[in-house]
Amino acid sequence: MNSTDIRQRFNSLSIALHWGMVLLISAVYATILLRENYPKGTDIREGLKAWHFMLGLTVLALVIIRLIARLSSRRPPISPEPPAWQSLLASATHFALYAFMLAMPVAGWVILSASGKTIPFFGLELPALVGQSKALAGQVKELHETVGTIGYFLIGIHALAALFHHYVVKDDTLRRMLPGRR
């Protein structure tokens, strides 16, 4: 790979955080979906819920790191440069994805807090964000579930756009974020 290729790619930290988040968010969705296979109150169902909470909070921690990394490093240009409307649409989608990755864990934390439940985080118990309120817990849970469904579409649109750019437009949008040698 020559120096032009290196300049055309995201840095290693951004690439690692991107693909790590893909795996982490997949695990968050998997744990909450898999819990449905087990009867309420069973240890495995409760364990899957606890993993869902902990992995969700890990998303929150990593997205903060990811935002700092994104704001402190340059974004490599796409070659050939896309039309302005595509850049605007990409920016809007990225904004929505970051909002999703920030809001969903916070909403989950609020749900547990308002439900009066402990907030587990890999052996730690995090403080409640709000006081106990069944009404608030129910409202935020409904919103959390709705936004979770919207998340499937956001993630899908993001992935389809990358594949469209790679296979149809044939630009370097996807290659800029692929892991590999520098």
Side-chain angles (χ1 to χ4, degrees), residues 50-112:
W51 274 102
H52 176 77
F53 303 143
M54 293 185 297
L55 293 172
L57 290 170
T58 304
V59 167
L60 180 60
L62 288 181
V63 77
I64 292 167
I65 294 168
R66 190 164 176 205
L67 278 168
I68 292 167
R70 182 175 176 137
L71 295 172
S72 64
S73 63
R74 63 156 194 82
R75 287 180 54 217
I78 298 171
S79 181
E81 187 175 343
W85 69 268
Q86 282 184 6
S87 296
L88 182 62
L89 191 56
S91 293
T93 302
H94 283 112
F95 178 83
L97 283 165
Y98 277 99
F100 169 78
M101 291 184 288
L102 287 166
M104 288 297 283
V106 171
W109 195 343
V110 169
I111 293 165
L112 289 178

Side-chain angles (χ1 to χ4, degrees), residues 80-144:
E81 187 175 343
W85 69 268
Q86 282 184 6
S87 296
L88 182 62
L89 191 56
S91 293
T93 302
H94 283 112
F95 178 83
L97 283 165
Y98 277 99
F100 169 78
M101 291 184 288
L102 287 166
M104 288 297 283
V106 171
W109 195 343
V110 169
I111 293 165
L112 289 178
S113 300
S115 298
K117 296 180 180 174
T118 59
I119 296 91
F121 190 68
F122 300 104
L124 302 174
E125 186 178 314
L126 300 179
L129 291 180
V130 298
Q132 198 166 342
S133 167
K134 285 188 178 189
L136 177 62
Q139 291 169 342
V140 176
K141 183 178 183 201
E142 189 174 310
L143 181 64
H144 185 73

Side-chain angles (χ1 to χ4, degrees), residues 15-51:
I15 292 170
L17 286 169
H18 177 273
W19 294 106
M21 294 295 279
V22 168
L23 295 174
L24 188 57
I25 291 169
S26 297
V28 170
Y29 274 114
T31 54
I32 207 63
L33 292 172
L34 287 171
R35 87 178 192 313
E36 293 296 326
N37 294 326
Y38 301 94
K40 289 184 179 187
T42 60
D43 288 343
I44 194 158
R45 184 181 175 108
E46 293 305 311
L48 287 166
K49 285 171 39 179
W51 274 102

